[in-house]
Amino acid sequence: MSHKRIPKHKAAMAVGGVLALGAAAILLPHANASQDGASDGVAAAPKTLKAGDASDLATRLAGTLGDAWAGAWYDGEDKQLVVNVVRGENTMALKVRSAGAEVRWVDNSMAELEAGAGTLTSEATIPGTSWAVDPRTNKILVTADSTVTGDRWDQLESTVEDLGSGMATLKKSPGTFRTFASGGDAIFAGGARCSLGFNVTAGDGSPAFLTAGHCAAAGDEWSDQQGGRPIATVDQALFPGAGDFALLTYDDPATEAPSEVNVGGQTVPILQAAEATVGQQVFRMGSTTGLADGQVLGLNATVNYPEGTVTGLIQTDVCAEPGDSGGSLFTQDGLAIGLTSGGSGDCTVGGETFFQPVTTALEAVGATLGAGDQAGGQEQGAGQTGAEEQAGAGDQAGAGDQPGGQDAGAGQDGADEQDMQDGTGTGSGRHSGQDSGLSRTH
């Protein structure tokens, strides 16, 4: 590894970038508020918004609506923000419409839903369970993995029923909730392998990066090759508890830590960190399975891993596998969203995956994204070249399961992607580090 830059095979882990994935990659579920009884012809049509702008608007409206607020989600098909307003709060509904969002009338306020989640925490904290508020159903989505059986299932089911009709839904996941801390070839320590998330600048100005907190349990010193010389040391870490994140500082203070991601031999810049929005289209980069995509299902999720309970996570339907832990979650328009924590299933059958919000991790460790979070002001057009990558969500892990210092990232075996350039398909196939068809944007 050069002391002046991160080597090419590490660039795939030096994630802080975003793909020019194109808005047509996946259409999110259509959420037409007028079909749910919200339309009364009072206001003009909702504004067309980017996902990041919708997230900002949702945050502002949450503070304005108070008790009338019941969550929001992003309708990716119509590119509109849909806001749940407690039934009868007509004045607040007008404020939502005047701000440019769609209104949907609901019965459960966010305060009531969060109180229900608190009851689950106190009465049903069972390993293999999770819960998060789903604004699209206006209920708490409770999930139990395959290990929750017998008395533990009865306890969970009884607690959900006691919340009352219309407050929660309970579903079974065929997999097992676990952290994804082994099996990829990315960063190594103590026999464990994880994925580097986003390069950042630590509070003292030194180059550093974020990854999953549970990865730090494997050791303090991490290498970019199995059995190789350490390149970074754990500075701060949290897991379990109120998050799953770690800050590692590069041992060489001259190391450049670019805010970019490698996708099959191409690197593209990240613009900034941002909050997630339910319904938002997101993309995950991991050293085992490469690039995968899906959408945000819930926020402030609680997950009861075998190692302990973690709160404040993002719930998605994006697949992940062992070795993807710590990898980056981001959007098509340059927003860093999360770090891979864990979940159930794999990239063959799918499953639930949970992510640590980047914004929360940055605040906790006192770091800034990239070189002082200045990436967003350098190439504003980057990441919007019209190129598209469709992630192979059903791909098997290939070379990423083998030990050694192979190139990590979307271009490795195990990440079967359909390459798109200028909106035209260039073919697909498994490849290891070759050009993905994504044009360089900087």
Side-chain angles (χ1 to χ4, degrees), residues 1-2 5-12 224:
M1 171 180 174
S2 168
R5 64 180 181 85
I6 297 175
K8 181 180 292 184
H9 70 275
K10 188 168 194 318
D224 59 350

Side-chain angles (χ1 to χ4, degrees), residues 47-366:
K47 295 178 182 178
T48 297
L49 299 168
K50 294 181 179 180
D53 294 333
S55 177
D56 292 341
L57 177 57
T59 300
R60 294 197 300 271
L61 288 172
T64 299
L65 268 60
D67 293 341
W69 167 261
W73 78 92
Y74 183 62
D75 176 355
E77 183 173 341
D78 290 339
K79 300 188 183 307
Q80 296 172 354
L81 178 68
V82 183
V83 176
N84 290 341
V85 179
V86 175
R87 202 175 302 280
E89 295 281 358
N90 296 328
T91 300
M92 294 302 178
L94 288 173
K95 291 184 178 181
V96 170
R97 293 191 181 102
S98 65
E102 184 66 75
V103 172
R104 176 173 178 260
W105 297 112
V106 296
D107 295 319
N108 299 320
S109 70
M110 183 57 68
E112 291 171 330
L113 293 169
E114 290 178 346
T119 298
L120 287 164
T121 298
S122 61
E123 299 183 12
T125 297
I126 300 167
T129 61
S130 71
W131 46 82
V133 173
D134 179 4
R136 287 170 295 188
T137 63
N138 191 227
K139 296 180 180 180
I140 304 166
L141 175 61
V142 184
T143 306
D145 72 13
S146 59
T147 67
V148 182
T149 59
D151 291 342
R152 295 194 300 171
W153 170 262
D154 292 341
Q155 178 185 351
L156 181 63
E157 187 175 43
S158 175
T159 303
V160 169
E161 290 176 352
D162 289 345
L163 294 178
S165 176
M167 283 294 295
T169 56
L170 176 60
K171 74 169 189 174
K172 269 279 195 179
S173 173
T176 301
F177 287 158
R178 55 180 173 163
T179 53
F180 296 133
S182 63
D185 69 278
I187 51 176
F188 303 81
R193 295 186 285 187
C194 286
S195 297
L196 188 151
F198 295 96
N199 275 326
V200 299
T201 301
D204 62 359
S206 61
F209 64 83
L210 295 174
T211 189
H214 67 264
C215 293
D220 290 334
E221 296 183 330
W222 286 78
S223 172
D224 59 350
Q225 297 184 40
Q226 189 175 44
R229 179 179 59 84
I231 62 166
T233 302
V234 175
D235 180 79
Q236 301 177 56
L238 178 64
F239 176 83
D244 183 5
F245 56 86
L247 176 72
L248 281 72
T249 55
Y250 287 105
D251 295 338
D252 182 356
T255 299
E256 293 183 2
S259 188
E260 62 187 24
V261 60
N262 182 303
V263 285
Q266 300 291 328
T267 58
V268 289
I270 192 72
L271 301 182
Q272 62 186 36
E275 302 289 346
T277 302
V278 172
Q280 186 176 27
Q281 181 187 19
V282 286
F283 296 82
R284 176 198 54 74
M285 191 68 185
S287 63
T288 300
T289 57
L291 185 67
D293 58 345
Q295 65 173 288
V296 176
L297 301 179
L299 305 177
N300 197 27
T302 295
V303 185
N304 297 300
Y305 292 122
E307 300 91 338
T309 299
V310 181
T311 60
L313 301 183
I314 302 166
Q315 183 171 355
T316 78
D317 61 3
V318 184
C319 74
E321 296 184 7
D324 289 330
S325 276
S328 55
L329 185 75
F330 51 92
T331 70
Q332 65 187 13
D333 53 351
L335 305 178
I337 300 296
L339 307 165
T340 306
S341 174
S344 67
D346 54 36
C347 287
T348 299
V349 301
E352 294 83 19
T353 303
F354 301 92
F355 295 84
Q356 164 66 45
V358 169
T359 53
T360 305
L362 289 172
E363 181 178 4
V365 301

